[in-house]
């Protein structure tokens, strides 16, 4: 009996490797090898043409005294800390609203998730159209209402705000969609029980809905934080990182450094910092979720 | 239900409808503005004078100008071709690998799965410099395949497929094995038919991502006959400057097809996510 089972296990393993091979070959060639390459490039001074010179940890040392790097790092963190909770909260709120009986629910749902389908470049260009200081819709409306106009492009804080607003607009639909999927999995029993206990709508939301959607919230938090670390197209198109680095994030800074000023070793070092941040975050989240699973 | 609670229930529904409508209007207004500007004469809605929120007359001038000055049809074709190939490849590789991780036992599975998850958090910009060198070394720089192959396997798709397939009862698979089915036959005859909602999610995510992808094609493509729509859009913005009418007309060409696909798919999309055990 032992022999055929071992043969079966070996066959099963062989099949499994065959099944994962296409995916892992592509990941190996186009992700893992370049990742090792990026680590090596980050230890060199190179403009991408010809051979680079090995400079050890010089690029990393340079980061410490580079104000634009610190600015980009801070912007990335602040951006993530605002966009993630805000777009998730609005997403959850809209999903709960839409999950109840409503007239024309399907149409309203389509309306709310439509921005998800808009490309980052198009979102950035629509943002340019809306936030333009002179002819943009927002300042024109402000004018009509007798409100002061805002220097969306030339002032650091409004420029940063325009990025945040555009991203929340863009990202909320996805969060709502996943929350809707989560809500569809919740049975009515607990709500009935809560209702019989006299809980009002708000109490039912915080005592039943929020805890039951915990795993969805966890999944979305991870995805949103990772997406926020990686925000690129929208910033690139809407502000290009300006004015004066006010909206520069790590990814746009790495791109600028690598492909505009062509300091590719330094760009790779910026990228590695970003990767380590993302990994540490993911690992922390993973640990937190494991502990939570054990507690439950 | 008493008359009074029915009345208050109706009041609650009305209140909810109003709130959702307000959120909906705020959400849709930037898209409305894009459409309005795309269909109005040059800067009619943007110039000085009083603010008018709709065009006085609807015109196709902007579209004509864009189609005459740029190879829009070519860019559109490139986007369609690249998106379809990327989506097909990434869906297939995700389904195959997801099945192995969900239903088969093999040494090293945990480590391999974690490697895939680590690539999930890796922004493409981290590796973009060395990926560029690799593509150039392989002779793929400035070609379709240089764009397609790096996007053809996704850790996110693998992850979703595994989650979904964990929900397929193992007994079904063992029964098929006892009937003498090979792993590939089991996959084709049992797993695939049960995975329709998952396939809908993977296809949709693949289309959305590749259609809208920007950072990598921006680096990997050189000749403007090979541009995809988002790259063309940026190129056009660089050329046309503040010609918002032209830019928005082209943005619509970029947005409308995928938005239609999206509206068609959304129902399956929610169902697919709901069943992938992510909640």
């Amino acid at each position: 009996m032992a022999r055929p089972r071992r043969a079966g296990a070996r066959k099963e393993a062989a099949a499994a490797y065959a099944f994962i091979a296409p995916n892992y070959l592509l990941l190996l060639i186009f992700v893992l090898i370049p990742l090792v390459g990026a680590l090596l490039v980050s230890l060199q001074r190179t403009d991408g043409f010809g051979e680079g010179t090995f400079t050890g940890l010089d690029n990393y040392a340079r980061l410490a005294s580079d104000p634009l790097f610190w600015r980009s790092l801070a912007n990335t963190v602040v951006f993530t800390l605002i966009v993630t909770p805000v777009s998730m909260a609005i997403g959850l709120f809209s999903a709960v609203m839409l999950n109840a009986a409503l007239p024309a629910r399907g149409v309203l749902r389509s309306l709310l998730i439509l921005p998800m389908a808009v490309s980052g470049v198009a979102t950035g260009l629509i943002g340019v159209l809306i936030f333009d200081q002179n002819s943009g819709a927002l300042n024109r409306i402000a004018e009509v209402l007798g409100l002061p106009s805002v220097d969306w492009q030339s002032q650091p804080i409004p420029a940063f705000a325009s990025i945040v607003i555009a991203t929340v607009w863009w990202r909320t639909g996805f969060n709502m969609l996943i929350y809707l999927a989560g809500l569809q999995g919740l049975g009515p029993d607990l709500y009935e029980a809560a209702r019989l206990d006299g809980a009002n709508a708000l109490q039912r939301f915080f005592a039943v809905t929020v805890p039951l959607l915990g795993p969805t919230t966890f999944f979305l938090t991870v995805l949103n934080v990772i997406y926020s670390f990686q925000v690129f197209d929208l910033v690139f198109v809407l502000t290009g990182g300006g004015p004066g680095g006010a909206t520069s994030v790590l990814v746009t800074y790495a791109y600028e450094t690598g492909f505009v000023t062509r300091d590719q070793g330094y760009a790779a070092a910026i990228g590695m910092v970003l990767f380590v941040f993302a990994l540490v975050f993911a690992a922390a989240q993973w640990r937190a979720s494991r502990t939570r699973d054990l507690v439950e | 239900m008493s008359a009074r609670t029915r009345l208050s229930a109706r009041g609650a529904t009305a209140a909810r409808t109003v709130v959702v409508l307000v959120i909906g209007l705020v959400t849709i207004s930037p898209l409305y503005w894009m459409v309005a500007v795309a269909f109005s004469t040059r800067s009619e809605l943007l110039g000085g004078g009083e603010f008018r929120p709709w065009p006085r007359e609807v015109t196709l001038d902007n579209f004509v100008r864009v189609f005459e000055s740029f190879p829009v049809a070519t860019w559109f074709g490139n986007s369609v071709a690249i998106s379809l190939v990327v989506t097909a490849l990434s869906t297939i590789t995700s389904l195959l690998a997801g099945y192995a991780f969900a239903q088969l036992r093999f040494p090293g599975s945990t480590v391999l799965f974690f490697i895939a998850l680590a690539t999930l958090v890796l922004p493409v910009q981290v590796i973009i410099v060395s990926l560029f060198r690799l593509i150039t070394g392989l002779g793929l720089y400035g070609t379709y395949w240089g764009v397609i192959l790096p996007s053809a396997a996704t850790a996110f798709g693998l992850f979703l497929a595994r989650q979904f397939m964990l929900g397929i009862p193992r007994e079904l698979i063992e029964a098929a094995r006892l009937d003498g089915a090979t792993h590939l036959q089991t996959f084709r005859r049992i797993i695939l038919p049960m995975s329709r909602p998952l396939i809908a999610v993977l296809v949709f995510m693949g289309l959305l991502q590749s259609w809208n992808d920007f950072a990598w094609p921006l680096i990997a493509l050189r000749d403007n006959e090979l541009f995809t729509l988002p790259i063309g859009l940026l190129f056009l913005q660089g050329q046309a400057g503040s010609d918002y009418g032209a830019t928005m007309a082209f943005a619509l060409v970029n947005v409308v097809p995928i938005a239609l696909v999206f509206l068609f798919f959304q129902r399956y999309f929610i169902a697919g996510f709901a069943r992938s055990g992510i909640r």
Side-chain angles (χ1 to χ4, degrees):
Chain A
M1 202 55 209
R3 182 182 279 266
R5 194 188 294 156
R6 215 180 310 142
R10 215 177 306 138
K11 257 174 126 176
E12 183 166 323
Y17 292 128
F19 276 103
I20 68 170
N23 202 304
Y24 275 79
L25 267 180
L26 288 164
L27 285 182
L28 177 73
I29 298 173
F30 295 108
V31 180
L32 296 174
I33 291 178
L35 182 60
V36 175
L39 184 62
L40 293 177
V41 172
S42 78
L43 304 174
Q44 299 170 20
R45 165 165 293 279
T46 169
D47 59 5
F49 302 111
E51 293 287 300
T53 37
F54 184 81
T55 53
L57 292 173
D58 273 13
N59 286 322
Y60 291 94
R62 236 176 96 194
L63 288 172
S65 57
D66 176 356
L68 196 48
F69 166 74
W70 289 107
R71 182 76 187 257
S72 306
L73 179 61
N75 283 345
T76 305
V77 171
V78 172
F79 177 86
T80 304
L81 287 178
I82 299 175
V83 167
T84 300
V86 171
S87 64
M88 282 177 63
I90 303 176
L92 174 58
F93 178 77
S94 321
V96 169
M97 289 279 166
L98 274 180
N99 202 41
L102 278 187
R105 190 161 69 154
V107 177
L108 287 168
R109 188 177 67 192
S110 304
L111 214 67
L112 292 188
I113 50 188
L114 205 50
M116 228 186 112
V118 180
S119 69
V121 179
T123 304
L125 288 172
I126 297 171
V128 171
L129 185 73
I130 301 232
F131 292 108
D132 187 291
Q133 277 176 215
N134 305 311
S135 61
L138 275 181
N139 274 356
R140 300 297 300 273
I141 292 170
E143 198 182 309
V144 171
L145 299 176
L147 297 168
S149 65
V150 178
D151 297 339
W152 293 108
Q153 283 148 307
S154 55
Q155 290 298 316
I157 290 175
F160 194 80
S162 72
I163 297 282
V164 168
I165 294 168
T167 311
V168 167
W169 177 81
W170 191 30
R171 190 75 56 72
T172 298
F174 178 75
N175 293 329
M176 189 194 82
L177 195 67
I178 305 296
Y179 270 131
L180 263 180
L183 284 169
Q184 292 199 342
L186 306 185
D189 328 10
L190 273 168
Y191 287 96
E192 262 325 301
R195 207 186 303 256
L196 289 177
D197 286 346
N200 64 31
L202 205 63
Q203 286 165 333
R204 288 199 299 271
F205 175 73
F206 284 107
V208 181
T209 310
V210 172
L212 285 182
L213 285 179
T216 311
T217 301
F218 173 75
F219 171 74
L220 279 178
T221 308
V222 176
L223 275 193
N224 276 287
V225 168
I226 291 169
Y227 279 147
S228 300
F229 279 163
Q230 307 185 3
V231 64
F232 177 69
D233 339 10
L234 195 147
V235 180
F236 186 78
V237 174
L238 182 48
T239 64
T247 57
S248 177
V249 288
L250 286 178
V251 176
T252 56
Y253 189 40
Y255 175 84
E256 283 289 315
T257 317
F259 287 93
V260 181
T261 51
R262 294 200 74 88
D263 195 348
Q264 296 200 336
Y266 194 49
I270 298 167
M272 293 311 295
V273 171
L274 182 64
F275 180 49
V276 169
F277 259 92
L279 261 191
V280 168
F281 168 78
Q285 285 287 321
W286 179 257
R287 278 190 71 107
S289 85
R290 279 237 318 241
T291 345
R292 199 194 53 203
D293 285 349
L294 290 179
V295 172
E296 270 173 3
Chain B
M1 210 189 252
S2 74
R4 191 162 157 202
T5 49
R6 210 176 313 148
L7 207 64
S8 81
R10 208 178 297 159
T13 304
R16 259 200 309 268
T17 310
V18 171
V19 171
V20 176
L21 260 180
V22 170
I23 299 178
L25 284 178
V26 172
T27 306
I28 207 74
S29 55
L31 295 175
Y32 164 75
W33 195 235
M34 166 173 72
V35 175
V37 170
F39 284 101
S40 59
T41 56
R42 199 183 284 232
S43 71
E44 188 209 354
L45 300 178
L46 306 161
E50 77 180 284
F51 179 69
R52 191 158 9 89
W54 48 79
R56 192 172 305 165
E57 59 173 322
V58 171
T59 167
L60 292 175
D61 282 2
N62 297 313
F63 292 88
V64 172
R65 203 160 61 249
V66 168
F67 276 82
E68 277 176 355
S69 332
F70 300 93
V72 180
T74 309
W75 294 347
F76 196 93
N78 293 338
S79 270
V80 171
I82 290 177
S83 299
L84 290 181
V85 177
V86 166
T87 302
L89 290 176
S90 66
T91 302
I92 293 168
T93 56
S94 298
L95 288 169
L96 288 171
Y99 169 61
F101 280 110
Q103 299 285 357
L104 301 179
R105 300 209 173 97
F106 57 100
S109 61
T110 313
V111 174
L112 286 166
F113 188 65
F114 273 97
I115 291 177
L117 280 189
T119 69
L120 184 66
V121 304
L122 178 74
V124 65
Q125 284 84 357
V126 172
I127 57 168
I128 215 161
V129 167
S130 48
L131 185 56
F132 173 76
R133 293 175 176 197
L134 178 77
I135 292 290
T136 311
L138 294 173
L140 296 174
Y141 171 59
T143 70
Y144 284 153
W145 290 108
V147 178
I148 291 170
L149 288 176
S151 323
T154 70
F156 187 63
L158 162 67
F159 177 70
L160 269 185
R162 173 183 172 270
Q163 287 299 109
F164 185 94
M165 289 175 183
L166 282 173
I168 296 176
R170 224 182 141 76
E171 296 81 56
L172 270 178
I173 286 144
E174 269 155 20
R177 301 286 306 143
L178 286 177
D179 288 347
T182 65
H183 289 287
L184 194 61
Q185 284 166 336
T186 312
F187 176 76
R188 270 178 39 201
R189 301 213 186 120
I190 297 186
I191 302 290
L192 281 190
M194 293 187 76
S195 300
R196 289 211 184 97
L198 167 71
I199 295 172
V201 171
L202 291 176
V203 167
F204 177 69
M205 290 295 285
L207 283 178
L208 186 65
Q209 229 148 51
S210 52
W211 183 264
N212 289 337
D213 195 12
F214 178 65
W216 176 241
L218 176 69
I219 305 291
L221 294 174
R222 168 184 45 186
D223 311 319
N224 78 26
E225 302 91 74
L226 290 186
F227 282 177
T228 57
L229 291 172
I231 311 302
L233 189 50
L234 186 81
F235 178 75
L236 177 143
Q237 192 214 10
Q239 303 274 304
S242 57
D243 184 351
Y244 286 131
T247 316
M248 288 303 119
F250 188 60
L252 268 183
V253 174
N254 178 190
V255 169
V256 167
I258 196 75
L260 290 179
V261 173
F262 178 74
L263 292 177
F264 175 76
F265 259 107
Q266 55 157 321
R267 179 186 310 261
Y268 307 98
F269 195 69
I270 297 178
F273 261 109
R275 277 190 51 191
S276 63
I278 273 185
R279 31 168 240 275

